[in-house]
């Protein structure tokens, strides 16, 4: 009698083995796939360690969230969830508290970016929030705890902002105060020199003032001391001295790039700013700082970015499925071999149940 093949023996002894292997493989791959299923939402809740970060963009003084439009468009094209909340511009303590409340409603990891005065706001707003994984400063103030912006700005020459300001009294039901605007005739040169004059004129007309008290308020915290940070230095900035931006970035140990830009780098150089945010999110094509000729050396190349764990989980899941198939197949071979060894003369051994 012809002896049956090993494959026949496995099929007869374990008729459902192939189905079992397929079921294990599918279950093993399907579960982790949801870890990288899309951008984090804004519904609140616990941190999802595998979620893609939500990018929050905070504007500064004399502007509104529309200044981030070019960056938002690019990040949304990458699949990021992006929020650009209004910055009240009423005072550092109150503005930081408001932005902190916005952050608390976001589920999952956050990359938090601030432009100009927005940098000071995010430094306090991010403090104590474990979901904020990276900070990005775009031609921004980065005060230490207890520092006032007026005090910080006086450290280095180069800013022409003070002489361009127009103090304007205001009154509300809560009391009186002074708002600061940039004079229309000086707006283009001081704030947005690398934009067309007509664009700057529209921005000047729509500018949102900042309460003068914001420059005397002391920073409540300095989140950049505990959260990895990225910084862009605008070398042609006339609103915040470039030397101050360099000083702040070096003090914070930020990953830093320098470009030839006015104060509004996110408008005139949206690709560069977007790349910096991608780096902070850990999703850029290169883990190193941008290598173009305008970029400075990275001040702290060892500081971590957000881990991209979704694809890694899927790879491990695939390996798990292969391992499961190998285990089941190996078990079948061992049992069949043992059966044949124990009953070599039994012509019906292959069909014994």
């Amino acid at each position: 009698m012809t002896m049956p093949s090993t494959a026949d023996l496995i099929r007869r002894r374990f008729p459902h083995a192939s189905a079992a292997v397929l079921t294990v493989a599918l279950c093993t791959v399907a579960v982790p796939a949801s870890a990288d299923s899309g951008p984090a939402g804004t519904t609140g809740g616990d941190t999802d360690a595998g979620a893609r970060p939500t990018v929050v963009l905070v504007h500064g003084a004399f502007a509104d969230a529309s200044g981030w439009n070019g960056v938002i468009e690019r990040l949304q094209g990458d699949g990021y969830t992006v929020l650009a909340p209004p910055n009240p511009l009423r005072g550092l303590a109150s503005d930081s508290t408001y932005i902190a409340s916005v952050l608390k409603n976001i589920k999952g990891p956050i990359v938090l970016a601030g432009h100009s005065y927005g940098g000071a706001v995010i430094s306090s707003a991010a403090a104590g929030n474990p979901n904020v994984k990276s900070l990005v400063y775009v031609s921004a103030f980065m005060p230490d705890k207890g520092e006032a912006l007026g005090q910080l700005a006086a450290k280095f020459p180069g800013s022409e902002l003070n002489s361009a300001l127009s103090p304007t009294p205001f009154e509300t039901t809560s009391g009186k105060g002074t708002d600061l605007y940039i004079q229309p005739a000086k707006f283009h040169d001081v704030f947005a020199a690398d934009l067309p004059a007509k664009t700057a004129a529209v921005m000047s007309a729509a500018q949102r003032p900042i309460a003068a008290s914001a420059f005397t308020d002391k920073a409540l915290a300095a989140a950049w001391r505990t959260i990895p940070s990225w910084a862009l230095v605008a070398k042609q900035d006339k609103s915040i001295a470039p030397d101050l931006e360099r000083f702040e970035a070096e003090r914070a140990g930020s990953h830093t790039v320098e470009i030839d830009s006015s104060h509004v780098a996110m408008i005139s150089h949206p690709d560069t700013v977007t790349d910096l945010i991608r780096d902070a999110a850990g999703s850029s094509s290169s883990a190193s700082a941008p290598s173009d000729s305008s970029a400075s050396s990275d001040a702290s190349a060892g500081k971590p970015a957000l881990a991209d764990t979704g694809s890694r989980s899927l790879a491990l899941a695939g390996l798990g499925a292969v391992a499961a198939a190998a285990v089941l197949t190996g078990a079948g071979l061992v049992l069949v071999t043992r059966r044949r060894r124990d009953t070599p003369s039994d012509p019906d051994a292959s069909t014994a149940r």
Side-chain angles (χ1 to χ4, degrees), residues 92-233:
L92 188 52
S94 61
D95 295 343
S96 300
T97 300
Y98 173 75
I99 295 299
S101 71
V102 172
L103 301 178
K104 289 178 182 177
N105 290 315
I106 298 175
K107 178 183 177 181
I110 298 168
V111 173
L112 181 59
H115 169 247
S116 190
Y117 169 72
V121 172
I122 69 171
S123 291
S124 290
N129 187 330
N131 281 3
V132 180
K133 306 301 183 183
S134 306
L135 299 170
V136 182
Y137 295 91
V138 179
S139 46
F141 284 113
M142 300 172 63
D144 202 350
K145 183 178 180 180
E147 281 183 337
L149 300 187
Q151 167 193 354
L152 190 58
K155 285 182 177 290
F156 297 92
S159 172
E160 299 178 16
L161 181 62
N162 280 347
S163 61
L165 293 177
S166 176
T168 305
F170 71 85
E171 185 173 350
T172 69
T173 56
S174 301
K176 299 179 180 180
T178 300
D179 270 341
L180 299 177
Y181 292 84
I182 297 178
Q183 300 169 33
K186 297 183 178 180
F187 190 96
H188 185 213
D189 184 54
V190 172
F191 198 74
D194 54 357
L195 297 183
K198 289 184 177 180
T199 300
V202 173
M203 292 171 62
S204 175
Q207 67 176 294
R208 289 184 55 211
I210 186 170
S213 59
F215 287 93
T216 57
D217 292 343
K218 293 186 177 181
L220 302 177
W224 48 260
R225 287 196 171 275
T226 56
I227 300 174
S229 61
W230 281 251
L232 182 143
V233 175

Side-chain angles (χ1 to χ4, degrees), residues 313-328:
S313 295
L314 288 173
L316 292 174
L319 291 174
V322 173
V327 169
L328 287 176

Side-chain angles (χ1 to χ4, degrees), residues 1-345:
M1 177 181 291
T2 303
M3 291 296 294
S5 68
T6 300
D8 289 334
L9 291 172
I10 293 174
R11 281 195 294 270
R12 294 176 186 178
R13 188 71 180 90
F14 300 95
H16 303 296
S18 296
V21 170
L22 181 59
T23 300
V24 171
L26 288 175
C27 290
T28 307
V29 174
V31 172
S34 63
D36 195 26
S37 57
T42 58
T43 56
D46 295 333
T47 298
D48 180 354
R52 184 173 240 189
T54 295
V55 179
V56 179
L57 307 171
V58 180
H59 68 84
F62 320 115
D64 60 25
S66 66
W68 290 107
N69 283 355
V71 174
I72 293 171
E73 180 181 1
R74 288 161 173 77
L75 290 173
Q76 288 180 336
D78 290 343
Y80 286 98
T81 295
V82 185
L83 294 177
N87 185 350
L89 306 179
R90 296 297 84 194
L92 188 52
S94 61
D95 295 343
S96 300
T97 300
Y98 173 75
I99 295 299
S101 71
V102 172
L103 301 178
K104 289 178 182 177
N105 290 315
I106 298 175
K107 178 183 177 181
I110 298 168
V111 173
L112 181 59
H115 169 247
S116 190
Y117 169 72
V121 172
I122 69 171
S123 291
S124 290
N129 187 330
N131 281 3
V132 180
K133 306 301 183 183
S134 306
L135 299 170
V136 182
Y137 295 91
V138 179
S139 46
F141 284 113
M142 300 172 63
D144 202 350
K145 183 178 180 180
E147 281 183 337
L149 300 187
Q151 167 193 354
L152 190 58
K155 285 182 177 290
F156 297 92
S159 172
E160 299 178 16
L161 181 62
N162 280 347
S163 61
L165 293 177
S166 176
T168 305
F170 71 85
E171 185 173 350
T172 69
T173 56
S174 301
K176 299 179 180 180
T178 300
D179 270 341
L180 299 177
Y181 292 84
I182 297 178
Q183 300 169 33
K186 297 183 178 180
F187 190 96
H188 185 213
D189 184 54
V190 172
F191 198 74
D194 54 357
L195 297 183
K198 289 184 177 180
T199 300
V202 173
M203 292 171 62
S204 175
Q207 67 176 294
R208 289 184 55 211
I210 186 170
S213 59
F215 287 93
T216 57
D217 292 343
K218 293 186 177 181
L220 302 177
W224 48 260
R225 287 196 171 275
T226 56
I227 300 174
S229 61
W230 281 251
L232 182 143
V233 175
K235 295 193 289 185
Q236 306 304 321
D237 197 338
K238 294 183 180 180
S239 293
I240 299 178
D243 283 342
L244 174 58
E245 294 171 17
R246 293 187 187 98
F247 163 79
E248 295 171 323
E250 182 177 356
R251 178 173 67 173
S254 304
H255 304 261
T256 306
V257 297
E258 295 194 17
I259 62 173
D260 287 317
S261 174
S262 72
H263 187 59
V264 290
M266 71 286 186
I267 301 177
S268 58
H269 298 274
D271 287 321
T272 302
V273 173
T274 303
D275 284 344
L276 192 66
I277 293 172
R278 288 180 183 133
D279 286 348
S283 63
S284 63
S285 58
S286 172
S288 60
S291 57
D292 60 76
S293 59
S294 65
S296 70
S297 61
D298 192 334
S300 56
K303 298 185 73 172
L306 285 175
D308 185 6
T309 59
S311 58
R312 204 175 309 169
S313 295
L314 288 173
L316 292 174
L319 291 174
V322 173
V327 169
L328 287 176
T329 303
L333 288 172
V334 169
L335 289 175
V336 170
T337 303
R338 181 179 298 167
R339 180 73 177 180
R340 293 180 63 185
R341 185 178 65 246
D342 292 343
T343 59
S345 62

